Amino acid sequence: MKVHSYTVVPRLPGKIAELARLTRNLYWSWDHEVLALFRRLDPDLWEESGHNPMLVVGRLDSRRLVEASNDEAFLAHLDRARERLDEYLHRPRWFSRLEEVPGQLNIAYFSAEYGLTECMPIYSGGLGVLAGDHLKAASDLGLPLVGMGLLYRQGYFQQYLNPSGWQQEKYSDNDFFNMPLSRVMDPGGRQLVFDMDLAGRKTLIQVWRADVGKVPLFLLDTNLKDNGPQERAVTERLYGGDLETRIRQEMVLGIGGMRALKMMGIDPDVCHMNEGHSAFLALERIRVLIEEKGLAFDEARQAASAGNLFTTHTPVPAGFDVFPAELVIKYLKGYADVFGLSPKAFMDLGRETAGDDKKNFNMAMLAIRLSSRINGVSQLHARVTRKMWSHIWPDLPEDEKPVGPLTNGIHVGSWISGDMASLLDRYLGTLWREDPAAPEAFARVDEIPDEELWTVHERRRTRLVAFARKRLKAQLFKRGMSESVRVEDVLRTDALTIGFARRFATYKRATLLFADPDRLAGLLNDADRPVQILFAGKAHPKDEAGKSLIRDVVRFASSESLRGRVVFLEDYDLNLARYMVQGVDLWLNTPRRPREASGTSGMKVLPNGGLNASILDGWWAEAFQDDLGWAIGAGEEYGEDHEYQDKVESDALYSLLENEIIPLFWERGQDGLPRAWLQRVKASMKRLASTYTTTRMVKEYVEWYYLPAARDYRMLAGNDFLKARELSGWLKKVEAGWGNTRIEKVEYDKQSDIPMDGRLRVDVIARLDGLEPEDVSVQLYCGQVERESEIRKTEVVKMKFAERVGDGLFLFRGYAPTGRSGRLGFSVRVVPAHECLAAPLKLGKVCWEQ
């Protein structure tokens, strides 16, 4: 049967025609005034639609639309919403005020998932939510940034539990024509469609666009009728399918994404890979330079890599996508041929150890090798990553391995409740909205009366309880258990409410709190100091251990001693997450340190007046202070002794609850206010809320990575890639001569005591056969000496070339620092140096004094 399709759009009376424009810009998802406009049209339909303004407008009958067009109050609200969007889109932003910004800068941000709003379910968890918040902050700051991703027909799964509490997965098709999306058109007015060759199979790809404030997000979709089932499946499910489906998916994201940008006239200076899923984009950048600019592979590699940034969120090697050689060569042999590389040499681009045929092709390794800059997502995670990949740069000290720390944040406007936002407006002004990362944005929190802060927070807790009861009733009905539990008896609106919601992976230890059920029951059932716990989260469909944890939580929740005090809410999504972070009193996080890369869920309670109790992992390891929340343990790491670790840390958690958290919450004066608790809430808001924002995070990406990478890329690309060619030739020179480089002699005054701020001259003779002094940097690696041979608290001092002292021998001179007392020391080393080399240490070539 042949089907002829067409698209129907709502017909809006002239006075409310602007509704159509408002529905298509996701600005509404973080502006309470605009969002309220759509809810006002039909509150019930707003909930039924999954908070989708396009569906709300599209499903309203003509009578309601006419009624709205004649409602003066609604029209006034519409005018305010339109003015807010227009003002937002046209007001100059932070980026426009920066100095020394390259003209017409283009930044492309690639991610496999985006958590922007619940009515666009193309995300699975924290990585996608972070990507969505990144785009929103980029819009707030006025960055010349575009997003690139995939538009999944079914996205991630909807979760439901069977009567035994075992997770089941359900997939539903997304209706792209009733989502805040538009089709990208080519100059001829037709939808932009292009094709890719995937191992000899032609695959058509269409391009969609979502407007995230000022930032366009382009999404690629292979679900076209002219594609075969195999090709249509590429963008069917997020993280779905077998390895072959995954490599196709990642080729479409990285390679297809770059081709789509080019077809739209966008030539990015900087490509930011949010995890390794999009790392194939680096191959495409190199291919274009070879075929269109006539560069050799090594020249193109240097130029392309200069503009690539790789952000990793994974603290364990098993978290990266890995493909076997036969699959890589099957799909990417064309790139090997263009690059002039043998299959073995091409595989080495993605192998952890070059030349090791036993190693598969690792997408993180590809991203590392073809990026000039790499960062982790918290200070601790950067250290863990440097240690995890220490074998890549074996001659570098741990703290110099080229992985920088840039801690994640949250988009405050997307996560703060409307009630709290109004309260902050009254007492803090508007700075917290305009620049939430400003140090003074939350500085006046102490001026908020305790009574008002507590009233707002209790209102949000009450709404959370009402929402949880409604959701629980629906999920029990689906399980055929509607008569067994009175949801009105579940949870209390006045109890200390603890939230635990995240992906159910074993290392996150969702059941740590149940290590001693009797002890926990005693805490939760105290009639004078009631406590309750809300759980939510999904396990990966193939993670049987994670599913077992969910079943265990559900069984604990249904036990006689905990019933009504512990609730598991199904199908964790952005809507449920907002209710939880806006309504809980305490956010609980119990990962095995150091397995949590960053975590952002706990950050979301900060502006909403919630507190954190967490293992010192991820962001909390750097944020924790005694008066801002609670630390479970003191940052210990237990290796593989998980049983002992769980025993120690569960006991520490119970002790915190019994002796500190619960007593502080229930310590009330005659006015019924927990003033000591509120003092801690205010301290947390004042000192942490402005730090852990995507506004701060994206500013740091701009200053630390985007602008330097753009300058490096443009320098190498200028004058027909002259500098790229020079750099490539210089690297070959270094490669050929490095084996003969060594430190021949080190001389300095070996007197036992040096006066503080005195001068300790060091002379070094280095052999540089085949190299010149300008090809290297001879350095003193200085610091405090520990254990006779370890240097800590390091400082690197570059030595100056003094004179040639023989055939291939050169004298360098410098001064070791003496600005602090104690046992200090230095080592001498030589590293390559070139004006166009963004990260010299990333080459891994270090010649130490032996």
Side-chain angles (χ1 to χ4, degrees), residues 191-204:
Q191 181 166 8
L192 182 59
V193 177
F194 64 99
D195 65 80
M196 276 183 65
D197 182 286
L198 297 179
R201 298 178 69 98
K202 180 180 176 181
T203 302
L204 296 174

Side-chain angles (χ1 to χ4, degrees), residues 605-832:
V605 305
L606 299 174
N608 286 297
L611 294 174
N612 281 273
S614 175
I615 298 291
L616 288 173
D617 201 3
W619 77 283
W620 193 238
E622 62 197 72
F624 170 71
Q625 297 173 42
D626 285 337
D627 60 338
L628 303 182
W630 291 272
I632 305 168
E636 300 90 348
E637 294 177 19
Y638 294 81
E640 296 303 312
D641 195 348
H642 293 170
E643 184 177 349
Y644 177 69
Q645 179 181 9
D646 291 350
K647 182 179 185 304
V648 170
E649 293 182 340
S650 64
D651 186 67
L653 174 55
Y654 285 129
S655 295
L656 278 178
L657 289 168
E658 292 165 343
N659 301 316
E660 297 187 37
I661 296 172
I662 296 173
L664 189 71
F665 182 86
W666 285 109
E667 183 183 313
R668 311 291 172 97
Q670 291 185 348
D671 56 8
L673 295 176
R675 292 195 180 271
W677 180 275
L678 288 169
Q679 182 179 358
R680 190 171 288 234
V681 166
K682 288 181 177 180
S684 172
M685 293 177 72
K686 184 166 60 175
R687 304 216 296 270
L688 299 182
S690 63
T691 299
Y692 295 97
T693 70
T694 42
T695 305
R696 182 270 311 156
M697 180 191 83
V698 172
K699 283 182 178 180
E700 291 177 352
Y701 273 116
V702 169
E703 294 166 350
W704 300 355
Y705 295 119
Y706 292 166
L707 292 183
R711 294 188 190 104
D712 290 344
Y713 175 73
R714 291 193 172 189
M715 176 177 61
L716 292 177
N719 197 15
D720 192 28
F721 292 88
L722 176 63
K723 291 291 186 181
R725 299 175 200 271
E726 289 181 1
L727 179 59
S728 174
W730 175 83
L731 285 169
K732 291 176 182 176
K733 174 184 175 184
V734 170
E735 189 69 37
W738 194 255
N740 297 322
T741 299
R742 61 180 179 270
I743 306 295
E744 294 281 8
K745 189 175 184 180
V746 176
E747 291 185 335
Y748 65 98
D749 185 355
K750 297 181 175 61
Q751 60 182 299
S752 57
D753 296 316
I754 306 294
M756 186 178 291
D757 294 324
R759 285 168 68 84
L760 177 60
R761 194 178 92 178
V762 182
D763 286 350
V764 172
I765 296 177
R767 178 171 295 280
L768 306 175
D769 288 350
L771 301 177
E772 296 299 324
E774 59 267 25
D775 294 325
V776 301
S777 174
V778 179
Q779 302 171 346
L780 300 178
Y781 183 80
C782 315
Q784 185 173 315
V785 175
E786 297 179 2
R787 301 176 185 173
E788 296 303 320
S789 61
E790 293 184 16
I791 296 179
R792 295 287 183 267
K793 300 179 181 178
T794 55
E795 175 183 351
V796 175
V797 176
K798 183 177 179 180
M799 307 183 76
K800 292 183 178 180
F801 167 61
E803 59 180 311
R804 181 187 295 266
V805 295
D807 186 18
L809 296 174
F810 303 89
L811 172 65
F812 293 82
R813 178 166 293 150
Y815 295 87
T818 58
R820 55 182 170 177
S821 62
R823 182 70 168 169
L824 305 181
F826 66 86
S827 290
V828 180
R829 69 185 185 185
V830 183
V831 298

